């Protein structure tokens, strides 16, 4: 089981163990993949209800993990609460009428690649760098029983409310131009970026509440 907010991932722990056993001690760090950009919550519009609940379903390679779901839920609640964008309703106080921020997180990684990367680094390390990728597909929605649903909006992925991101864990090499941290720190940056993107998209959808309907021109061509 791969730990996210609470500890380093299994592949990272395996990599460290191999390196220590081999007598090598390169720098090992993780970072949110810069190709997806980085958005910060202080840039997000204030579009959430005054108080919301938070629910997260977190799966790893297709298997749902309750512990990871709860850990991520607690972190999302914390950053949204401290950002002053909304107040978080405690889970035990949620009702069918509570506005809910819902996140469905699909985390995938290649376990064999992670093991092979660790072994390769342990055997051949000499200034080279090796990387392990954790891919995330995160669906975000806001369910507010007190308001009509926001019309469907297609995002860059072509899917409704689905955002993609990744964490790269590197052994060796340098961190120039990156924001290196431990694995939990990189994971938190991924979540903050995705939440900010969602709030920006939600604000756009609310501003453009009236869809434009294109009517085909059926007039005959002029000769």
């Amino acid at each position: 089981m791969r730990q996210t907010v609470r500890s380093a991932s299994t592949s990272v722990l395996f990599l460290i163990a191999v390196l220590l056993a081999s007598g090598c001690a390169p720098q090992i760090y993780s970072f949110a993949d810069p190709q997806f950009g980085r958005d910060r919550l202080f840039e997000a519009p204030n579009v959430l209800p005054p108080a919301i609940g938070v629910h997260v379903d977190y799966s790893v390679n297709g298997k749902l993990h309750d512990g990871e779901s709860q850990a991520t839920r607690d972190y999302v609640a914390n950053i949204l609460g401290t950002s002053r964008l909304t107040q978080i309703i405690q889970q035990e106080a949620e009702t069918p009428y509570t506005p809910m921020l819902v996140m469905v997180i699909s985390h995938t990684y290649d376990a064999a690649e992670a093991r092979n990367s660790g072994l390769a680094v342990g055997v051949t390390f000499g200034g080279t760098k090796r990387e392990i990728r954790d891919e995330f597909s995160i669906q975000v929605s806001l369910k507010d029983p007190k308001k009509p649903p926001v019309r469907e909006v297609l995002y860059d992925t072509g899917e409704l409310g689905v955002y993609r991101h990744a964490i790269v864990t590197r052994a060796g090499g340098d961190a120039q131009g990156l924001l290196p941290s431990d694995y939990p720190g990189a994971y938190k940056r991924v979540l903050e970026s995705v939440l900010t993107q969602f709030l920006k998209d939600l604000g756009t959808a609310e501003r453009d509440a009236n869809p434009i309907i294109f009517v085909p021109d059926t007039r005959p061509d002029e000769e």
Side-chain angles (χ1 to χ4, degrees):
M1 180 176 179
R2 295 166 65 79
Q3 304 299 312
T4 52
V5 175
R6 292 167 295 172
S7 65
S9 67
T10 299
S11 61
V12 176
L13 293 176
F14 179 85
L15 178 59
I16 293 172
V18 171
L19 291 170
L20 291 176
S22 65
C24 300
Q27 181 185 12
I28 299 175
Y29 53 89
S30 299
F31 53 91
D33 191 335
Q35 72 170 313
F36 293 99
R38 188 186 182 197
D39 292 283
R40 305 295 300 275
L41 272 175
F42 68 81
E43 304 169 337
N46 188 4
V47 294
L48 291 173
I52 64 171
V54 177
H55 178 81
V56 175
D57 287 326
Y58 186 105
S59 64
V60 182
N61 286 345
K63 183 178 180 181
L64 183 65
H65 283 288
D66 292 336
E68 301 299 341
S69 298
Q70 185 64 42
T72 297
R73 181 265 167 207
D74 292 344
Y75 174 69
V76 171
N78 179 262
I79 64 170
L80 286 177
T82 57
S83 70
R84 299 182 181 180
L85 293 173
T86 185
Q87 292 185 339
I88 303 301
I89 299 173
Q90 298 297 319
Q91 288 175 288
E92 59 271 17
E94 294 171 359
T95 74
Y97 303 100
T98 299
M100 295 291 296
L101 180 79
V102 179
M103 301 181 71
V104 180
I105 301 176
S106 176
H107 173 186
T108 57
Y109 73 102
D110 189 327
E113 180 183 33
R115 288 192 297 269
N116 292 337
S117 294
L119 288 172
V121 172
V123 173
T124 65
F125 176 72
T128 60
K129 67 180 181 181
R130 298 287 299 214
E131 293 184 346
I132 301 169
R133 288 183 63 84
D134 291 80
E135 304 284 349
F136 296 89
S137 175
I138 303 177
Q139 183 174 355
V140 192
S141 60
L142 179 64
K143 303 181 184 301
D144 188 349
K146 301 175 184 177
K147 294 179 59 177
V150 177
R151 70 180 182 87
E152 291 189 353
V153 179
L154 293 180
Y155 301 106
D156 292 341
T157 58
E159 299 171 278
L160 179 61
V162 176
Y163 303 86
R164 306 200 186 281
H165 220 302
I167 293 175
V168 179
T169 299
R170 178 178 295 176
D174 60 65
Q176 186 175 2
L178 303 172
L179 289 171
S181 69
D182 56 11
Y183 188 92
Y187 178 65
K188 291 174 183 178
R189 287 174 180 155
V190 165
L191 287 181
E192 182 182 10
S193 182
V194 167
L195 285 169
T196 304
Q197 291 174 45
F198 170 72
L199 294 180
K200 289 179 177 179
D201 288 338
L202 186 62
T204 299
E206 290 185 346
R207 287 195 305 271
D208 301 333
N210 298 315
I212 299 174
I213 300 175
F214 292 94
V215 179
D217 186 353
T218 57
R219 294 175 298 179
D221 295 333
E222 296 182 0
E223 296 183 356

